[in-house]
Amino acid sequence: MQWVRWLRDVGAGDVGEVGGKNASLGEMLRALTGLGVAVPDGFAVTAGGYRAFLAASGLEERIAAALRGGDDLHAKSEAIRTLILRAPLPDALAAEVTAAYRDLCGDGPDLHVAVRSSATAEDLPNASFAGQQESYLYVQGEADLLDKVKRCFASLFTPRAINYREDMGFAHEAVALSVGVQRMVRADAAASGVSFTLDPESGHPDIVYITSAYGLGENVVQGRVDPDAYWVHKPTLARGHRPVFRRKVGKKELRLVYDPVGHRLSNLPVPEPERAAESLTEDEALTLARWAVTIEDHYAGRRGEACPMDIEWAKDGVTGELFIVQARPETVHSQRQGPTMRIYRLGGRGEVLAQGLAVGDRIAAGAARVIRDPRQMKQFRPGEVLVTEATDPDWEPIMKTAAAIVTERGGRTSHAAIVARELGIPAIVGAADVCDLLPAGQEVTVVCAEGETGLIMKGALPFEVEEVDASALGRPRTRILMNIGDPERALGLARLPCDGVGLARMEFVFASWVKVHPLALTRYDQLPAAVQREVDALTAGYEDRTAYLVDRLAQGIGTLAAAFWPRSVLLRFSDFKTNEYAHLLGGEQFEPREENPMLGWRGASRYYHPGYKEGFLLECAAVRRVREAFGLTNLQVMVPFCRTPAEGRRVLAAMREAGLVQGERGLEVWVMAELPSNVLQAREFAAVFDGFSIGSNDLTQLVLGVDRDSEQVAPLFDERDEAVKRAIVALLREAHAAGRRVGICGQAPSDHPDFAAFLVAQGIDSISLTPDAVLRVTREVLEAEGPAAAPAAQERREVGARR
């Protein structure tokens, strides 16, 4: 055949004839099917066929003349597409297309096929033409197929396609169009979505991020639904583990299906029970992740450099099979040059008007402009915040001039999210009813720099931007670690130049991800009926209520460990006080009222006590899942508020009951050094634990006898007091003599440069800091260490590393 090629016979060298998309599909069919990646077969009408059509119809000069004339983009587009649609396909081209279709159908009835446009300059590493041309689904029969091929040719001249080529500097005549024809995957009876081989928000390269929703994939791509999301850790996946370390159930409001009576696509509402269920199984998510890595590795090997991929997949609801239907290079994070980071910090707070999913990590301010219909685009002014229900490629001309974008619908792989990342502006998607909540012209600040949730705040609030070249920042001999609690910020914060996490707060995961007291699950029958109903709603979908806690806790902890892999993450077991535990759902039923919770039943004393031990065993089960099922053995644990060495041994015994054994698979168990007894009996504690982490807040409080929450004695609270510093010096001396490492995770070094210098001078092994202090204190530590300190400091590191 002259103008039709089977996809399995084309590859990278054929991009000029079949376009990036079809060349990619052909290469996958040929190279990856043998590796277990399923790709539906089909054929491509080449760019030569497109050119033959133009030549036979005498359209080249007429199209060129139309492009030169006038400034009305939409009028030019309409005129050119009308010319193409009215011209007949050459008989020879039509015969080749119908012959290939008959071969694809075999002896059976006419197949439904997907007909997709692929421009010959499409999906380059630095430009994505995806979505600029049209695609058609459930095309059936020869006449319908020939009509759709011609409509794909015409879509090379949609307003958005013309505009995109001009913006990217591509000559119109240099770009031709190929049409791919593939066997239709019956995703309308199952699910479909998008996979990225990096985290699309942070650019973290160790993640496969998968979205999924019921029905055909256009709803996910166009942002019409809030899809399910799955995060998979690539390094431990390669080691044979099952590291779906995080899952998020989306609303999945609509299901895009094919209506065989009306011969059209229809969006149908999804019943509530299906919305609450996951649209993929864990096994299916793992299969898609393995395929994504295989595809990424293939293209990286061919290019000789990293090649993150943006992949579309579909599940056939008739056969149950999964298929890859498109793959293209990711075009946002892969194009960032060098290690320079921009860190945004909000300088004030305002009333929160609306919220949704944050896209990117930036902040912007401007007047809100609510536009519900593309025909109202002329109302938009550069520098405003675009607020609308959802976007598609037709919106891109005004998106390019927006300060920020806010949409009512969509997820992280929606059109609005992808374009915002390409433009480098913040966006918030899935902000329910935001078009009704924001008055026209209201000055707002769009905040996407505080985690997964994006906030629209009233007023133009001040913010600052710090640019950091991480490669220019040296690494001190003292390990610089980070304090972190919020898993939603972990993938982004992991980009900061640090050696790991010195304090991961389990109680943050409890409060924001679990929300229920452990004993409200293990002693459910003791709860009042009203609280039981709340627990039932929270744990819906889990056969065992305790499985909910282990799963949610493991997801939060696993996110922290995956983000910083292979760097160490030191997780502190839950350290709520009794009054704080009582605030969890069902907690009041099981917590005593104490006069002084700060010195009461907290930390280690709870873990082996009959009044909480069953809750601690659930904490251990979550840690075990992260280390064993996810394979994230960089996760270590820490025991807070341990009053005596004997108490420490009782905690270790409780951990062993749960299958967490100190030393197995490299598990280290540290102790918070926050009590005078930890200092006075440092050698005895060193015989129980693998290391010490100084909690300077509690240590200062207890050494000085100062209630840190009391306004009257607050001026006396000072971590730099000589008594506190002597306690730290004594701990360092005794712990190092016993061959144990010592770090600090309290607030003091983040706040006081002189305190960080003191710690370095005393030979501290690590300093764990709040994220906003990491860069500043790293510089201060480098200055404090100086070249002369190197031999003595190195000797201390070697001593501290011995067990």
Side-chain angles (χ1 to χ4, degrees), residues 198-207 209 231 330 332-334 336 341 358-361 412 421 488-495 563:
L198 45 64
D199 178 60
E201 291 309 312
S202 65
H204 198 301
D206 286 348
I207 308 302
Y209 176 77
W231 288 257
E330 191 272 344
V332 179
H333 295 286
S334 59
R336 290 182 175 173
M341 299 168 55
V359 175
D361 54 7
R412 298 192 185 284
R421 292 189 199 102
E488 293 173 358
R489 299 187 64 198
L491 293 172
L493 291 175
R495 295 180 300 160

Side-chain angles (χ1 to χ4, degrees), residues 222-278:
Q222 296 299 335
R224 299 190 192 104
V225 297
D226 173 25
D228 296 337
Y230 302 82
W231 288 257
V232 184
H233 188 243
K234 289 194 285 190
T236 53
L237 179 70
R239 298 182 179 191
H241 294 282
R242 298 176 63 83
V244 184
F245 65 84
R246 186 180 176 193
R247 306 186 311 279
K248 175 181 172 290
V249 178
K251 297 176 183 176
K252 305 185 294 295
E253 306 95 326
L254 300 172
R255 185 197 323 262
L256 186 62
V257 301
Y258 176 66
D259 176 7
V261 177
H263 300 288
R264 58 189 176 85
L265 298 178
S266 299
N267 253 322
L268 304 179
V270 176
E272 286 293 341
E274 287 187 76
R275 294 187 192 186
E278 294 183 33

Side-chain angles (χ1 to χ4, degrees), residues 36 88 205 213 251 254 264 307 324 329 337 424 462 499 533 544 571 592 596 658 684 740 767 794 799:
K251 297 176 183 176
L254 300 172
R264 58 189 176 85
C307 186
I324 300 299
Q337 301 296 318
D499 300 304
R533 287 193 292 271
D544 182 342
L571 172 74
N596 190 352
E684 290 83 353
R740 294 291 182 263
I767 299 176
Q794 183 60 40
V799 170

Side-chain angles (χ1 to χ4, degrees), residues 684-698:
E684 290 83 353
F685 277 100
V688 179
F689 295 104
D690 296 290
F692 296 82
S693 184
I694 299 167
S696 57
N697 295 342
D698 273 347

